[in-house]
Amino acid sequence: MTARLAILASGRGSNLQAILDAIAAGTLDATVVGVFSDKPEAQALQRVPEALRWARTPKACGGRDAFEAALAEALAAARPDWIVCAGYMRILSPGFVQRFAGRLLNIHPSLLPRHKGLHTHQRALDAGDSEHGASVHFVTAELDGGPVIAQARVPVLPGDDADTLAARVLAVEHPLLLQVLRLAVAGRLAERDGRVVVDGQARFTPLPLESTPA
Ligand code: GRF
């Protein structure tokens, strides 16, 4: 059965677009049932028909808790099989994470556990890292701290700045996210006791990005 994906996004939505393109190309057996945003002006929202857009600001909802409660209700009503945070810039509360546990994925632009949080590209440069990349992980209550499912690595090259490095990472983010989503929609991915389980086997290291282009 075609899997139902809900996407949380605050910005540009290039990861969402990669998902939509893969669905259209027949390489991801899924349907996007909603795009949910804390930023009504987010470009991500424009990538789907109006009927699939949900956007509120915490301010308009009367605060962070009320916003998150409304988001959780709208998400639950969309009956997603998987919820993908793709450039969603708000921290999710432990209660929210608990409600959707095991179904909540995030793509983060670093080789976790290195560089949790913001400004990952600049921080990789400042740290003198020779390698950087992206991680897809299950969301837990700890920010960017959930079990890592898959990682894609890129070199840091002489002369890189945060923008050139971000572009190199973004190019691997899209196939990495799709690789994980293909496992997810095929029923091959689960989280058990804080571990990533693929095909019924616990993984002790993140999957690498497959070389086959998405
Ligand atoms: C990506 O780098 C993602 O890893 C991070 O935010 C960025 C979102 O990009 N969490 P986009 O909105 O999908 O284009």
Side-chain angles (χ1 to χ4, degrees):
M1 222 176 59
T2 300
R4 300 170 63 83
L5 305 181
I7 314 297
L8 269 56
S10 302
R12 177 178 55 183
S14 70
N15 279 285
L16 165 63
Q17 191 62 53
I19 292 170
L20 293 168
D21 291 348
I23 292 172
T27 59
L28 179 67
D29 184 14
T31 180
V32 171
V33 295
V35 175
F36 300 81
S37 188
D38 58 326
K39 296 260 190 306
E41 71 281 8
Q43 200 190 332
L45 290 163
Q46 303 302 320
R47 298 180 189 270
V48 292
E50 205 171 340
L52 297 186
R53 299 177 198 157
W54 184 96
R56 302 271 191 290
T57 61
K59 198 173 167 200
C61 291
R64 188 199 134 149
D65 292 352
F67 164 80
E68 209 186 51
L71 171 63
E73 284 317 301
L75 259 180
R79 294 182 294 109
D81 295 305
W82 293 93
I83 300 164
V84 185
C85 299
Y88 183 67
M89 301 308 285
R90 224 158 244 293
I91 292 173
L92 299 167
S93 73
F96 184 99
V97 171
Q98 185 54 42
R99 179 166 178 181
F100 299 106
R103 293 282 172 231
L104 205 45
L105 304 173
N106 182 44
I107 179 142
H108 181 77
S110 80
L111 295 173
L112 291 171
R114 282 186 80 69
H115 309 310
K116 297 175 180 177
L118 297 175
H119 310 302
T120 57
H121 309 302
Q122 190 58 52
R123 285 162 59 207
L125 290 169
D126 293 347
D129 294 356
S130 58
E131 234 187 1
H132 186 43
S135 306
V136 179
H137 64 95
F138 282 107
V139 176
T140 61
E142 188 200 337
L143 178 68
D144 300 327
V148 178
I149 303 159
Q151 281 183 331
R153 298 171 178 274
V154 299
V156 179
L157 299 177
D160 266 341
D161 60 21
D163 290 341
T164 58
L165 193 51
R168 194 173 307 122
V169 170
L170 193 68
V172 295
E173 279 187 33
H174 298 161
L176 186 74
L177 181 57
L178 290 173
Q179 181 183 324
V180 170
L181 286 177
R182 287 191 188 104
L183 289 176
V185 304
R188 298 174 58 194
L189 176 67
E191 181 193 11
R192 261 179 235 129
D193 304 328
R195 276 194 196 293
V196 173
V197 175
V198 177
D199 293 331
Q201 299 282 329
R203 299 256 342 155
F204 301 105
T205 54
L207 297 163
L209 174 63
E210 284 166 5
S211 48
T212 350

